[in-house]
Amino acid sequence: MTSLRLDRRAGAFRTVFAFAAGHWRRQPWRMLGVGAAMLLTTLADVLTPLYAGRLVDAVASGAPSAAEPWDAAVGAFLALLGLGVAAMAMRHLAYLGITALTLRMMSDIVRGTFHRVQRFSSEWHANSFAGSTVRKVTRGMWALDLLNDTILLALLPSTVMLVGSTVLLGWQWPVMGAIVALGSVVYVAATVALSLGYVAPAARAANAWDTRMGGALADAVSCNAVVKGFGAEEREDRRLARVVEAWSRRTARAWIRGTNNGTAQAAILVLLRGGILGTALALWSQGLATAGDIAFVLTTFFVLQGYLREVGMHIRNLQRSVNDMEELVALYGQPLGIEDAPGARPIRIEHGRVEFQDVTFHYRGHATPLYENLSVTIAAGEKVGLVGRSGSGKTTFVKLIQRLHDTTGGRILIDGQDISRVTQASLRARIAIVQQEPVLFHRSLAENIAYGRPGASRRELEQAARLAGAHDFIPRLPDGYETLVGERGVKLSGGERQRVAIARAFLADAPILVLDEATSSLDSESELLVQQAMERLMVGRTTIVIAHRLSTVRALDRLLVFDRGRIVEQGRHDALIRLDGGIYRRLFEQQALELSNGLRREDQQEPGRAARAGGA
């Protein structure tokens, strides 16, 4: 089990570094420039103790009036000053370079991840929290900043400092070089082992709960209207509190392990300090080291200690940045689900004829196919209604036309073109859809309407709004067409949102139109306005209506009655209503009975209302 965890952690490091290296290779000269600048900066730090020792020797060797000690002291002083200026200049250049390098990488990663997430299948989005996905991207983006700083501004200089100090001390006193080398190896090895084997698992668990907390917050905030509708604020508080409590426990464990790791590193540094200083004193007592040599050793140790202490922090930061980037990198390893075929071309739809040819379709995890050898043709310009109980296959039929799912067998043609061989973007751009619950962006009304055709002029946009009946209310809003509609359009009523969605479909001017019973949740007045707008929208287009209320499909050219993924009846309303024992007739009669009972209950309540009014 332990070896399995180590393999997984090593795999995570390899995956994250391969991902980062791919972006480093896009800016090789910046990488080289930053690395060279930090190398020169660190070499200046390596040489500083050497000249500090020479300065002490010069000062201790004679009176200031003597020429030779004075010249040696001034030379050492100027060397120290020059090294300081060089280190400052090189560090400044390195920081400027890494700023440009990292910002370009972060921008590329955000754009690339957004590009990929947008193209994941609708099934993936249905199974993922939007808040968690955003958290993965933003946390991974900032983790890359930490990764770059840790490797280029921290670990690279620390490595150069350790090697340089070991060489300089070993060149003068081999035993001192051996002690520094051995102590550094033990320190770094212990730091790596503790960080990866002890701290990293706890940090990974804390990150997983951080993602869950972000998802829980986003879920509750985005559904705040439902929370308020049921007076469930305290219930949501308790639900979030459980998630926060679990996150807190995991995070506390990660932080405590980090603290323990730091203490262990400090203990190793104390031992190293004793070894180096004790050896220096022994060399001095034997006459093998001067006062300047002792100053050289002391200065080297203090500089080296700073770098070593930071090595522990850098390795912890490296481990943390890898942990934080794991989920982001995993998004790149996630299959898109539905991809354009190699060489796919834009679809060209002139008429809008839709054909299902022996289509078989399985939902993932379902043993029985929803559709099996389904064949049906919708003629160009035909208005077809999809009727049936919930789960009978109506919505899936439309999603397959949009290629939100891929068929298991058979093929779907539009104007003779196999939709699996054309680009998805071009296909969906030629299919306008008005959903039962239209989704609007938290942008202006003008932007929402123009989403179907961003290049449309203001005159075309307003004409589409007039055709949809939306121009009746938009000018009365505070900022007219520039009014922000709120998240998912919450500032508008249901009927207003539907008319904006219809205006968007008008402006898209697509040859194929899908209406997902856009009036089923509206009041009578709004329903009439939306119904009139939809009738105008259907003119000259191949129209598919997902029908929930059968009273809305009487005027359609043909109805397809679905039952468990099969088309069991088809024809016009007048013909289907006469079929004895037919599913459509049964559904229609059931809805008519429900409507009649509802009206009867209202009539029975009227005398009571009148009596109460009279008594008042």
Side-chain angles (χ1 to χ4, degrees):
M1 184 63 72
T2 302
S3 63
L4 182 62
R5 286 198 297 267
L6 289 174
D7 288 343
R8 188 168 65 248
R9 287 194 288 271
F13 268 75
R14 285 194 299 270
T15 303
V16 169
F17 277 114
F19 176 81
H23 287 273
W24 290 332
R25 284 193 290 269
R26 299 180 186 179
Q27 304 180 72
W29 292 109
R30 278 205 180 110
M31 281 289 295
L32 185 62
V34 172
M38 288 309 300
L39 178 64
L40 293 174
T41 299
T42 311
L43 286 176
D45 285 343
V46 170
L47 294 174
T48 295
L50 178 64
Y51 285 98
R54 291 182 180 179
L55 179 61
V56 170
D57 271 339
V59 170
S61 64
S65 58
E68 187 175 346
W70 174 255
D71 291 342
V74 170
F77 166 74
L78 293 176
L80 288 171
L81 191 62
L83 289 172
V85 171
M88 177 187 67
M90 290 297 103
R91 185 175 287 109
H92 181 73
L93 291 176
Y95 282 16
L96 290 178
I98 202 166
T99 297
L101 173 78
T102 301
L103 284 176
R104 164 80 181 277
M105 290 177 68
M106 291 169 72
S107 300
D108 287 349
I109 284 173
V110 170
R111 285 194 296 263
T113 309
F114 181 74
H115 175 90
R116 189 166 185 84
V117 168
Q118 288 285 92
R119 285 154 182 79
F120 283 157
S121 68
S122 55
E123 181 182 3
W124 184 91
H125 282 280
N127 293 321
S128 302
F129 275 126
S132 295
T133 301
V134 171
R135 189 80 174 122
K136 290 174 185 177
V137 175
T138 54
R139 188 172 61 220
M141 176 186 73
W142 288 109
L144 175 74
D145 176 40
L146 180 62
L147 183 74
N148 276 355
D149 286 354
T150 300
I151 291 176
L152 295 174
L153 302 184
L155 287 179
L156 174 63
S158 296
T159 303
V160 173
M161 183 67 196
L162 292 178
V163 173
S165 298
T166 301
V167 170
L168 271 182
L169 289 171
W171 173 60
Q172 191 160 354
W173 304 289
V175 66
M176 187 75 77
I179 290 174
V180 171
L182 180 61
S184 299
V185 168
V186 170
Y187 180 85
V188 172
T191 299
V192 171
L194 288 170
S195 294
L196 302 187
Y198 180 64
V199 179
R204 186 177 294 108
N207 282 343
W209 276 94
D210 180 75
T211 298
R212 291 183 64 173
M213 184 171 66
L217 281 167
D219 188 40
V221 171
S222 63
C223 296
N224 182 259
V226 179
V227 175
K228 288 188 182 303
F230 286 90
E233 288 89 348
E234 290 189 6
R235 189 195 320 163
E236 290 300 320
D237 287 346
R238 290 192 298 271
R239 180 175 177 274
L240 181 65
R242 290 193 295 270
V243 177
V244 171
E245 176 63 25
W247 165 82
S248 178
R249 288 197 304 270
R250 268 68 172 191
T251 303
R253 184 176 65 173
W255 290 357
I256 290 170
R257 288 191 177 190
T259 301
N260 294 341
N261 185 23
T263 303
Q265 291 166 355
I268 297 174
L269 278 179
V270 170
L271 293 176
L272 181 60
R273 177 192 302 175
I276 291 176
L277 297 183
T279 303
L281 287 175
L283 292 170
W284 174 73
S285 67
Q286 297 171 18
L288 300 176
T290 64
D293 292 334
I294 297 297
F296 168 40
V297 171
L298 284 173
T299 308
T300 299
F301 170 73
F302 288 126
V303 174
L304 185 61
Q305 178 179 251
Y307 274 91
L308 281 174
R309 183 182 294 117
E310 290 180 357
V311 163
M313 182 184 69
H314 300 328
I315 291 176
R316 288 197 301 275
N317 285 342
L318 182 65
Q319 160 254 309
R320 191 178 77 188
S321 63
V322 169
N323 288 345
D324 287 352
M325 286 184 68
E326 274 186 272
E327 291 179 317
L328 170 69
V329 175
L331 290 176
Y332 279 79
Q334 179 80 28
L336 293 179
I338 298 176
E339 301 186 55
D340 286 341
R345 295 183 178 183
I347 194 169
R348 299 184 62 181
I349 303 177
E350 296 180 2
H351 307 292
R353 176 185 172 91
V354 179
E355 300 175 73
F356 276 56
Q357 295 183 348
D358 296 320
V359 169
T360 299
F361 174 71
H362 276 85
Y363 273 110
R364 191 187 321 186
H366 290 236
T368 305
L370 176 62
Y371 298 146
E372 191 166 9
N373 298 323
L374 175 67
S375 294
V376 64
T377 299
I378 299 175
E382 188 178 14
K383 298 171 181 59
V384 174
L386 310 182
V387 179
R389 300 181 182 88
S390 295
S392 60
K394 305 185 300 295
T395 301
T396 303
F397 186 88
V398 169
K399 288 184 176 181
L400 288 175
I401 294 174
Q402 294 177 284
R403 207 184 161 211
L404 296 176
H405 300 296
D406 269 332
T407 61
T408 310
R411 59 181 189 157
I412 300 172
L413 307 179
I414 297 181
D415 283 354
Q417 301 160 85
D418 187 340
I419 65 170
S420 67
R421 311 303 301 177
V422 301
T423 60
Q424 297 174 67
S426 68
L427 170 67
R428 293 168 192 156
R430 304 299 288 155
I431 301 174
I433 184 166
V434 180
Q435 297 164 316
Q436 185 177 2
E437 291 292 336
V439 177
L440 303 182
F441 294 95
H442 182 32
R443 303 172 191 174
S444 70
L445 279 163
E447 289 177 285
N448 273 287
I449 295 173
Y451 204 77
R453 185 153 58 94
S457 67
R458 186 57 174 256
R459 180 174 172 275
E460 291 172 322
L461 187 150
E462 292 184 5
Q463 177 62 18
R466 285 189 176 91
L467 290 171
H471 192 72
D472 297 341
F473 72 87
I474 292 177
R476 297 197 300 268
L477 296 173
D479 296 313
Y481 280 88
E482 302 309 316
T483 301
L484 297 177
V485 301
E487 188 174 3
R488 301 177 71 85
V490 295
K491 292 184 179 180
L492 304 179
S493 69
E496 289 170 342
R497 286 198 300 271
Q498 288 290 12
R499 281 179 277 170
V500 171
I502 292 172
R504 186 160 59 192
F506 264 117
L507 195 61
D509 196 23
I512 297 176
L513 172 66
V514 174
L515 300 174
D516 187 0
E517 191 62 283
T519 64
S520 62
S521 59
L522 304 180
D523 60 83
S524 299
E525 184 179 355
S526 296
E527 179 182 1
L528 178 61
L529 293 171
V530 171
Q531 190 67 45
Q532 291 171 347
M534 288 195 303
E535 289 172 1
R536 291 192 292 269
L537 181 59
M538 285 190 280
V539 174
R541 294 179 172 87
T542 301
T543 304
I544 301 172
V545 180
I546 301 176
H548 303 290
R549 291 198 299 196
L550 303 184
S551 58
T552 63
V553 299
R554 296 186 181 191
L556 298 179
D557 299 328
R558 182 163 51 121
L559 305 180
L560 303 179
V561 183
F562 282 80
D563 184 45
R564 299 178 183 178
R566 295 180 300 115
I567 298 176
V568 293
E569 299 168 13
Q570 59 179 304
R572 293 183 64 87
H573 166 80
D574 295 339
L576 293 177
I577 203 69
R578 298 192 189 96
L579 291 177
D580 289 335
I583 290 179
Y584 180 78
R585 177 173 176 172
R586 189 161 62 249
L587 291 171
F588 188 83
E589 290 174 346
Q590 182 180 354
Q591 289 192 7
L593 181 62
E594 290 173 354
L595 177 62
S596 174
N597 289 337
L599 292 174
R600 187 178 300 113
R601 282 193 297 271
E602 289 185 6
D603 290 341
Q604 291 171 350
Q605 291 170 355
E606 285 301 322
R609 291 174 185 165
R612 286 193 298 273

